[in-house]
Amino acid sequence: MRLTTALVTIASAIALACSTSQVEAATPVVAGYLLLNPQNGPAKLKALADNAANIPINRIFLSFARPGMVYVPGSKTLADVGLGYGTSGDYGFADLKTRVAQLTAGGVEVFLSVGGWNYGCFPFLYTYYSVGGYGTSTPNYYKIKENGGTLAGCTEANMWCYTCEPKSENTVLADFDIFPEPTNSTTWKSAQSYVVSKAGAAAPVFHPEIVPGRTWTDPVTKQTVLVPGSDAFVKQNRDPYQDLVYLAKDLGLTGVDIDYEEMWHADYLRAGPSTGPWTNEQTTYKYAAIMQDVRLNIQAIQPSLMLATAASAAGGLSTPWWGGNLKNIWYFLNKWYPDLYAFIANTGGVNVMTYDLSNNQEYHECPDAQTCSLSQQVNYYMKSYADNNMLAQVGYEIGIPAYPASDHDPTHQLPLTQPELTSILNVQGAKGGFFWELYKSAGTSANVDVTSAAQQICKAALGASTPRCSGVIPQPGGVVPTSTVTVTVTATVSPTTSAPVTTTTGGASCSAAAWNAATSYTTGSKVSYNGRLYTALWWSQNNLPTAGNPWSDNGPCTTGTTGPTPTATTTPGGCAGVTAFSSTASYSGGAKVTYGGFVYTAQWWTQGETPGSAAVWVKGAACSATLRRRLYQ
């Protein structure tokens, strides 16, 4: 799997010879992230692919693959990629490749995104060194108080006080991952040498001892913990960053996207006086090595492949760092490794997550007292990139922001309303941009819905007369037909029928109208959809009940159904017919159990090993569609 020394030398020479100049793309990019899951991800992607020529975007980011993936070139399986597209067979490879070809033929570039929030969050280190590493008066410390009382009370049993994801998500360690340092790889070693040779501050110190899927002892707290992720890449002597390029080539992708959000790494390895400010150059070095490893493999394996990255809003700033975020990382990447930054900016682009912002000045969350609205902050952060000669694209988030949390501090949230979108587009619109996420609900009527946002971003970037800019984000129209992938899907119904139907659920009679994409629903509204009853948790419109929030699944109606009968293998809720895990039972390889709201499959014989904490269990589909992997700033 390793490249020869000669090939690496040639690739390295090409990399070093690259121009450091950054050039605006001839055609601006209007991109949307698509969050995949086995329940309805294939159906969503099919709907987009079937309408590729008419949707108001020209790029899709498929999210998220695991940073520690394993993909053997030519194997044509997503089994060890962690994308969450299929649950057996080729795990959706053939179907995904078909959709990629459809989208590309329709003028839509397709990127595979690696990382994201969950696939970059180390619960133990994030809790102890980020959320709890700066005293008790920090924005998210309330999570520690509510779930553990004190920092010392945070353990794996309470998922390190639920700082990476709230308790309601029912996450286990298997839901998280980190970006590995594959020391077995020739290109990784070459990337390290590149980083060391150009380091602009303290000498780089890498941490190969922190291996996904293996135990590690924190030298500070002396606690021994299991590192999130899998060590399969070590056992198989593979480089996940090289495998990403091989996978992209075999799928026919336009590019790959590295969504690096390891805040724990910056806070754990910070340097400077005890009272701050600090420096986080070690995180710049790790990130640079990752990007250089990917670049070397692109140049050697698939030179036409583009490389994109998601970047922190504060990443382009050069001012002092006070911890808790990834400020300065991209500023120093451009300063110390300008050829690498230019390669990213000129191919796939640097996509700035200018969302999940807050105006809570108790925690100094506005850049200054006069820069507190969403549009003011967005334009401020984008200006920092421009002022430092760093080409970058602006980001938007549809609906209710992930931060600050709605159940804790909704008054300081900064959602994308029409006035704010207009203000941002007036400054940033001509350059294009991206948004999270293609099927995310607007949340309230005051927020801009995804189709409207996409159309406006598209028209500002590509011109009002561009045909695709008048298109819509299509809803899934049915079960995805495929003969090579077994996925948990839910057939969808035409949104033209809204006649009431009488059904029963849990033995009790219930009557609810069929869900209608054109109808707006207030909190407490009930609908029937594919033989199940759902209740709206807050205002909703054009948000599929099977997609999770804002819909709560109340269970199946045992008589009567709405919509067509699914024609593919369908498991209502994802767990029907699968027995719950028992610590006293023995399981052979291939056995399936439910645990914590998910299906797990045993890889070999086991007894007494808890799913989510033992390598024997492979996590599959969720019993409901509420689990998400969110993008945070």
Side-chain angles (χ1 to χ4, degrees):
M1 74 85 172
R2 296 179 180 176
L3 298 177
T4 65
T5 302
L7 193 56
V8 171
T9 301
I10 293 171
S12 299
I14 293 171
L16 293 174
C18 283
S19 170
T20 60
S21 61
Q22 301 170 35
V23 182
E24 292 276 3
T27 302
V29 171
V30 180
Y33 274 83
L34 175 62
L35 182 60
L36 295 171
N37 63 60
Q39 283 73 35
N40 52 31
K44 290 176 179 178
L45 188 58
K46 180 181 185 298
L48 293 163
D50 288 345
N51 295 278
N54 301 309
I55 54 178
I57 56 174
N58 57 15
R59 178 181 292 179
I60 288 178
F61 291 104
L62 304 177
S63 56
F64 290 106
R66 284 189 178 271
M69 71 169 65
V70 170
Y71 177 78
V72 178
S75 62
K76 300 180 180 179
T77 175
L78 302 177
D80 297 316
V81 173
L83 187 59
Y85 192 72
T87 57
S88 63
D90 66 359
Y91 287 79
F93 182 93
D95 184 74
L96 184 60
K97 184 168 184 174
T98 297
R99 304 306 170 209
V100 169
Q102 280 183 272
L103 286 160
T104 303
V108 179
E109 299 174 336
V110 185
F111 281 59
L112 177 61
S113 185
V114 176
W117 180 250
N118 280 19
Y119 284 172
C121 196
F122 190 156
F124 165 70
L125 288 179
Y126 182 62
T127 297
Y128 273 75
Y129 294 94
S130 295
V131 176
Y134 299 92
T136 60
S137 298
T138 56
N140 286 320
Y141 198 87
Y142 76 93
K143 298 178 181 180
I144 293 173
K145 292 180 179 178
E146 290 180 359
N147 297 296
T150 65
L151 186 59
C154 294
T155 66
E156 186 178 345
N158 59 17
M159 195 39 59
W160 310 106
C161 284
Y162 303 104
T163 58
C164 286
E165 284 288 358
K167 186 177 182 179
S168 60
E169 292 303 313
N170 297 313
T171 49
V172 293
L173 194 63
D175 292 311
F176 304 101
D177 207 335
I178 67 168
F179 282 80
E181 298 182 15
T183 55
N184 59 308
S185 164
T186 302
T187 48
W188 175 258
K189 292 176 181 177
S190 178
Q192 285 181 308
S193 297
Y194 165 83
V195 169
V196 171
S197 69
K198 293 172 170 282
V205 178
F206 293 93
H207 291 273
E209 73 278 8
I210 304 178
V211 181
R214 297 187 178 181
T215 57
W216 167 77
T217 300
D218 175 16
V220 179
T221 66
K222 309 303 180 185
Q223 294 195 61
T224 298
V225 299
L226 182 65
V227 180
S230 170
D231 65 350
F233 74 94
V234 180
K235 293 177 179 177
Q236 298 183 47
N237 195 34
R238 303 202 63 81
D239 178 350
Y241 309 120
Q242 185 181 92
D243 283 357
L244 170 62
V245 177
Y246 279 129
L247 175 61
K249 179 181 179 181
D250 285 359
L251 283 173
L253 296 171
T254 311
V256 293
D257 172 52
I258 304 299
D259 186 352
Y260 183 81
E261 301 186 46
E262 289 186 335
M263 295 181 190
W264 62 266
H265 189 276
D267 294 313
Y268 180 60
L269 298 174
R270 72 186 190 222
S274 60
T275 57
W278 301 278
T279 61
N280 55 10
E281 64 263 10
Q282 295 302 330
T283 303
T284 299
Y285 296 147
K286 179 182 179 180
Y287 171 71
I290 293 167
M291 301 305 287
Q292 175 68 356
D293 192 352
V294 177
R295 175 167 68 152
L296 289 175
N297 282 290
I298 286 175
Q299 292 168 333
I301 298 168
Q302 186 75 347
S304 62
L305 199 67
M306 297 181 184
L307 176 58
T309 190
S312 165
L317 292 169
S318 60
T319 49
W321 178 63
W322 293 92
N325 56 35
L326 294 181
K327 183 180 180 181
N328 304 148
I329 301 299
W330 285 264
Y331 169 80
F332 285 115
L333 181 76
N334 184 58
K335 182 178 180 179
W336 299 334
Y337 310 100
D339 59 302
L340 179 56
Y341 188 96
F343 181 86
I344 302 166
N346 292 340
T347 58
V350 176
N351 302 302
V352 185
M353 293 182 285
T354 42
Y355 45 81
D356 286 338
L357 303 172
S358 167
N359 60 4
N360 190 344
Q361 282 296 68
E362 178 184 355
Y363 301 114
H364 311 286
E365 293 189 312
C366 300
D368 57 59
Q370 289 73 46
T371 310
C372 275
S373 72
L374 177 65
S375 57
Q376 288 171 337
Q377 292 197 47
V378 169
N379 291 328
Y380 171 88
Y381 289 122
M382 293 308 299
K383 186 176 184 295
S384 72
Y385 279 84
D387 287 349
N388 288 309
N389 298 311
M390 301 162 65
L391 190 63
Q393 283 72 49
V394 69
Y396 308 84
E397 181 177 19
I398 307 301
I400 305 297
Y403 177 84
S406 297
D407 61 356
H408 178 72
D409 187 20
T411 60
H412 290 107
Q413 290 180 331
L414 298 175
L416 187 65
T417 61
Q418 185 56 58
E420 294 291 357
L421 176 58
T422 299
S423 296
I424 297 170
L425 289 174
N426 286 340
V427 179
Q428 310 294 338
K431 304 171 187 176
F434 73 99
F435 59 87
W436 176 266
E437 184 266 355
L438 279 159
Y439 287 92
K440 189 167 185 279
S441 169
T444 73
S445 58
N447 299 338
V448 183
D449 67 84
V450 65
T451 287
S452 178
Q455 289 176 342
Q456 293 179 67
I457 297 167
C458 184
K459 291 176 181 179
L462 305 181
S465 61
T466 303
R468 74 164 59 250
C469 294
S470 296
V472 301
I473 304 301
Q475 288 297 322
V479 174
V480 180
T482 174
S483 59
T484 60
V485 54
T486 302
V487 296
T488 305
V489 295
T490 305
T492 56
V493 299
S494 168
T496 59
T497 303
S498 58
V501 294
T502 301
T503 59
T504 64
T505 178
S509 178
C510 64
S511 178
W515 175 81
N516 188 321
T519 302
S520 61
Y521 298 96
T522 57
T523 302
S525 297
K526 295 184 182 297
V527 298
S528 57
Y529 187 76
N530 290 331
R532 299 180 74 81
L533 184 67
Y534 294 85
T535 301
L537 301 178
W538 56 77
W539 185 94
S540 171
Q541 184 177 26
N542 196 27
N543 186 247
L544 280 172
T546 52
N549 287 338
W551 291 103
S552 174
D553 188 342
N554 302 137
C557 295
T558 56
T559 62
T561 60
T562 62
T565 301
T567 57
T569 302
T570 304
T571 304
C575 293
V578 183
T579 59
F581 168 76
S582 170
S583 60
T584 59
S586 61
Y587 301 95
S588 56
K592 294 183 182 296
V593 299
T594 61
Y595 184 80
F598 288 84
V599 174
Y600 287 84
T601 303
Q603 298 186 80
W604 53 80
W605 185 94
T606 180
Q607 184 177 27
E609 295 182 283
T610 304
S613 299
V616 63
W617 293 105
V618 175
K619 189 174 184 180
C623 295
S624 68
T626 58
L627 188 71
R628 69 236 186 249
R629 299 189 186 109
R630 295 175 297 185
L631 256 173
Y632 288 74
Q633 183 267 330

